[in-house]
Amino acid sequence: MTETKKAVKNEKIGAVVSNKMAKTIVVEVTRRVPHPLYKRIVSKRKKFYAHDETEQAKVGDVVKIIECRPMSRLKRWSLGEVLRKAVQVATDLSSIGIVTGPEKRVTKKKASGSTGLGRAVKENEL
């Protein structure tokens, strides 16, 4: 009778939508439920922040996340395992013969009035 009961932790399966933070991934879990009034099946989505210690999950991967203690204000889940890896597309354009130059930054000029036409008309009148 000295058996210890292990708590069953909540698990969810979803797709990784972001891994831009250090050791954190954002997982979107989609579930299909009937609408309360109309009974039509609708998809509900929710995003969860999960801890990824080894940073192995990439965007598009299907992962299992497990409930854990709070690690930060939003992070209450940890990465269980990567169930399906996403296809990673190479971004090296030189391998297919495209030469890229320095990127130019495009900025918008602010108009002096409510429309940009007022200033052009005044310049033409002079």
Side-chain angles (χ1 to χ4, degrees):
M1 292 296 231
T2 61
E3 298 175 15
T4 58
K5 291 185 179 179
K6 190 172 184 179
V8 177
K9 300 209 175 184
N10 198 356
E11 296 179 349
K12 295 189 183 298
I13 295 175
V16 177
V17 293
S18 173
N19 65 346
K20 296 193 182 299
M21 294 172 275
K23 297 186 180 182
T24 302
I25 57 174
V26 181
V27 179
E28 186 175 66
V29 176
T30 304
R31 59 191 182 98
R32 294 166 46 91
V33 294
H35 188 276
L37 179 61
Y38 302 113
K39 308 304 183 220
R40 180 187 163 105
I41 300 294
V42 294
S43 295
K44 293 195 176 252
R45 300 179 302 182
K46 184 155 173 53
K47 291 181 181 176
F48 296 97
Y49 286 71
H51 184 69
D52 182 9
E53 183 69 37
T54 58
E55 298 184 1
Q56 62 184 357
K58 305 290 183 222
V59 175
D61 291 352
V62 176
V63 297
K64 181 193 298 186
I65 55 174
I66 302 170
E67 192 176 29
C68 66
R69 64 178 178 80
M71 295 186 182
S72 68
R73 183 173 70 92
L74 297 173
K75 223 167 35 168
R76 276 105 171 97
W77 298 83
S78 65
L79 177 66
E81 62 179 305
V82 177
L83 301 175
R84 187 173 65 221
K85 298 289 271 181
V87 177
Q88 298 296 323
V89 179
T91 58
D92 184 22
L93 298 177
S94 62
S95 63
I96 57 174
I98 298 175
V99 179
T100 59
E103 294 182 19
K104 294 183 179 178
R105 188 171 229 173
V106 178
T107 58
K108 292 184 179 179
K109 294 181 180 177
K110 293 185 180 180
S112 61
S114 59
T115 63
L117 300 175
R119 196 168 111 193
V121 171
K122 288 179 185 176
E123 289 175 0
N124 290 338
E125 290 176 356
L126 296 176

